[in-house]
Amino acid sequence: MVNGKETGMERNIKGSDIPAKERLVFALDVPTAKAAEAMLDCVQETVGVIKIGLELFTSEGPAVVRMVQRYGKPVFLDLKVLDIAETVQRTVARVADMGVSFLTVHGERKALAAAVKGRANHPEMNILAVTVLTNLDQADLRESGCDGTVEQAVVARARMAAEVGCDGVIASGREPAAIRSAIAAPLVIVTPGVRPAGRGVDEHNRAANPRQAIHAGADYLVVGRPIRDAPDPRAAAQAIVDEMQAAFDQQSLSP
């Protein structure tokens, strides 16, 4: 929750439809609080959730979470937590105390189970399991000793997340359909590595445009550089929201 109000992602878990704007997670990938405020002043009316990643959190610490909350936006803290269970549980408890709405944890069973325990006093905070990072491909998995396809790894980790009580998963735009098909639990699927049609994919090996990700079954899209680096970030965000809304509208009309 933010300021006592239910957030978009929390409503979606309960099955309600919400506008595309509230489904757009903006990755606030800037190095300082000053830069973050300048960007938020520009895009706050066109994005729904604000993601704070490792760079900004390392630079500014918990104070930047409080700053974003003053804008009335739910905070998505993207720390990709992974450690022994005791450390994960205690860390997640501290994050939950900050009023963060969403936290990412790497898709390892003991870490995910510890994270769910860690947010016990703040059940409104959503735990999102990271499946396979979007810059990884089949060769990367093979090099790390993982057998099977990327899709199989994503589905296995999503199933694990559901089993231990996570609220959702982070997965590229190529895997939501497989997750939906294999897992009955109502996991929220959050898709990073989203790039508007016609834009480069940067280092993402499994990128998707908004329409592709939504039609595959994604609930929320994470977009950073296409907004942050645009000449007019607000207009860029609005264009993505419009593309998302068109995709959701088309999806609702499908039999």
Side-chain angles (χ1 to χ4, degrees):
M1 293 188 178
V2 176
N3 296 329
K5 297 180 180 179
E6 201 173 45
T7 67
M9 204 173 287
E10 288 157 352
R11 287 200 298 275
N12 189 68
I13 289 170
K14 298 174 184 177
S16 301
D17 291 330
I18 62 174
K21 171 191 164 183
E22 292 188 38
R23 296 173 181 260
L24 176 57
V25 180
F26 174 50
L28 191 60
D29 294 332
V30 295
T32 66
K34 182 177 181 180
E37 286 190 276
M39 184 60 66
L40 285 171
D41 287 341
C42 183
V43 305
Q44 63 173 314
E45 298 302 323
T46 52
V47 301
V49 181
I50 303 300
K51 184 173 83 71
I52 298 171
L54 288 171
E55 179 188 16
L56 184 56
F57 193 75
T58 299
S59 174
E60 301 291 347
V64 78
V65 172
R66 295 190 290 271
M67 183 272 286
V68 171
Q69 289 168 333
R70 288 198 293 272
Y71 282 80
K73 300 290 184 182
V75 173
F76 181 133
L77 192 55
D78 187 20
L79 298 185
K80 299 181 179 71
V81 179
L82 180 60
D83 212 309
I84 64 169
E86 170 75 5
T87 300
V88 171
Q89 183 174 337
R90 294 172 65 89
T91 298
V92 171
R94 301 292 78 73
V95 171
D97 287 343
M98 288 191 282
V100 166
S101 297
F102 319 109
L103 175 68
T104 55
V105 179
H106 266 294
E108 190 274 333
R109 183 179 292 274
K110 290 181 180 179
L112 294 173
V116 172
K117 289 181 181 178
R119 62 92 183 264
N121 291 331
H122 298 280
E124 70 279 5
M125 185 177 80
N126 296 288
I127 303 296
L128 303 176
V130 179
T131 57
V132 177
L133 297 175
T134 56
N135 70 321
L136 301 181
D137 59 16
Q138 193 66 47
D140 294 309
L141 288 188
R142 191 179 306 113
E143 185 177 28
S144 67
C146 294
D147 295 327
T149 66
V150 170
E151 183 177 288
Q152 288 170 334
V154 168
V155 170
R157 291 168 188 173
R159 183 178 291 111
M160 184 192 308
E163 289 171 354
V164 302
C166 293
D167 305 286
V169 297
I170 307 293
S172 89
R174 300 188 186 184
E175 292 98 30
I179 294 171
R180 300 286 185 211
S181 176
I183 300 168
L187 289 173
V188 168
I189 299 178
V190 181
T191 294
V194 174
R195 294 293 181 267
R199 191 190 188 280
V201 299
D202 299 306
E203 76 275 22
H204 297 287
N205 282 313
R206 297 175 359 264
N209 64 45
R211 182 188 60 80
Q212 291 169 331
I214 290 166
H215 285 308
D219 296 298
Y220 290 80
L221 307 187
V222 181
V223 183
R225 281 169 283 186
I227 296 173
R228 182 198 68 188
D229 297 343
D232 184 342
R234 185 185 186 284
Q238 186 60 56
I240 292 169
V241 169
D242 292 344
E243 186 176 350
M244 290 171 63
Q245 191 64 61
F248 282 123
D249 290 346
Q250 184 179 6
Q251 190 178 57
S252 69
L253 295 174
S254 299

